[in-house]
Amino acid sequence: LGFEVDYIDGLDEEIKEMLNKYGEYIEDSILSVHFVKLNGKIQCIDCIKFFEDLLNKLGSLEKVYDLYFETLLKSIKADLGIYKPKRIGHPTLVRIFNNKYPIEYKNINLMEKVVKEIKDNGYEIDFNTAGLRKPYCKETYPSGTFLELIKKYNVPIVYGSDSHKSEDVAKDFDL
């Protein structure tokens, strides 16, 4: 039995409560960020409509990426109890629309903080192929500078396909 646990900023206690309720039954789990909080509102990062809404509200791709990586850092630092997942899921999910909204994200300091926090906590990275199947992404999660930082800090990697349907299990493993 496995869970992908969504970190939502401000819901730490609710997440911890859920993990405490089911944690003893979980054999594998991943901690992921699909949502960010802006002005008290939760917005989905991997839905184009909400991504574009964030982009309009924040005014630049850099600020969207900053908010995502700041939220990812919060998820890693969060006290979610003894059943908190030790694997960080698709840490570059914010790049899901990179081919439509290309950016060479320059905030290496923020990405490095995230990677160091992962390393310092003894966590691992979910390296998955799902982005290759996304029409505006076409890259793995993680990729680019973030992947280079993971290698630099020797963070353990677990390979996956982030399959939400059976035909995607082990998809694109022939890279």
Side-chain angles (χ1 to χ4, degrees):
L1 180 66
F3 278 9
E4 180 175 16
V5 178
D6 234 324
Y7 177 79
I8 300 174
D9 187 10
L11 296 180
D12 298 30
E13 287 305 312
E14 291 84 349
I15 297 166
K16 187 175 185 177
E17 183 180 312
M18 185 272 306
L19 286 170
N20 285 338
K21 183 174 181 179
Y22 298 106
E24 66 182 291
Y25 308 106
I26 301 171
E27 298 167 309
D28 195 16
S29 59
I30 295 174
L31 181 65
S32 301
V33 171
H34 295 91
F35 301 91
V36 294
K37 187 187 279 185
L38 181 64
N39 300 325
K41 287 184 68 178
I42 307 288
Q43 290 200 245
C44 185
I45 199 77
D46 61 346
C47 171
I48 191 124
K49 177 183 180 287
F50 296 114
F51 185 93
E52 289 172 339
D53 186 50
L54 273 171
L55 179 56
N56 289 331
K57 286 178 179 172
L58 290 170
S60 73
L61 284 170
E62 289 83 2
K63 289 180 181 177
V64 172
Y65 276 55
D66 283 346
L67 181 58
Y68 173 81
F69 283 113
E70 288 163 2
T71 305
L72 186 60
L73 186 58
K74 284 181 183 180
S75 77
I76 297 160
K77 290 181 173 187
D79 175 11
L80 301 178
I82 62 171
Y83 298 110
K84 179 181 181 180
K86 305 302 184 215
R87 187 174 323 133
I88 306 304
H90 47 62
T92 57
L93 180 65
V94 71
R95 294 181 57 80
I96 192 168
F97 305 114
N98 192 51
N99 286 327
K100 183 168 181 154
Y101 296 104
I103 180 176
E104 188 177 325
Y105 184 61
K106 302 282 190 195
N107 195 343
I108 294 170
N109 289 336
L110 180 54
M111 288 189 288
E112 195 161 26
K113 277 184 193 176
V114 171
V115 172
K116 283 181 179 178
E117 196 69 30
I118 292 167
K119 177 72 173 178
D120 291 347
N121 281 285
Y123 295 169
E124 58 194 20
I125 290 291
D126 171 55
F127 179 96
N128 79 60
T129 58
L132 297 170
R133 299 188 298 273
K134 306 296 180 185
Y136 294 119
C137 187
K138 301 298 183 193
E139 62 189 32
T140 59
Y141 306 125
S143 59
T145 302
F146 197 92
L147 181 57
E148 291 170 17
L149 288 168
I150 288 167
K151 291 176 181 178
K152 174 182 174 183
Y153 287 97
N154 200 28
V155 174
I157 293 173
V158 176
Y159 295 95
S161 51
D162 198 357
S163 50
H164 291 239
K165 49 190 177 181
S166 59
E167 58 264 24
D168 287 342
V169 172
K171 188 94 171 206
D172 298 310
F173 275 24
D174 56 345
L175 298 173

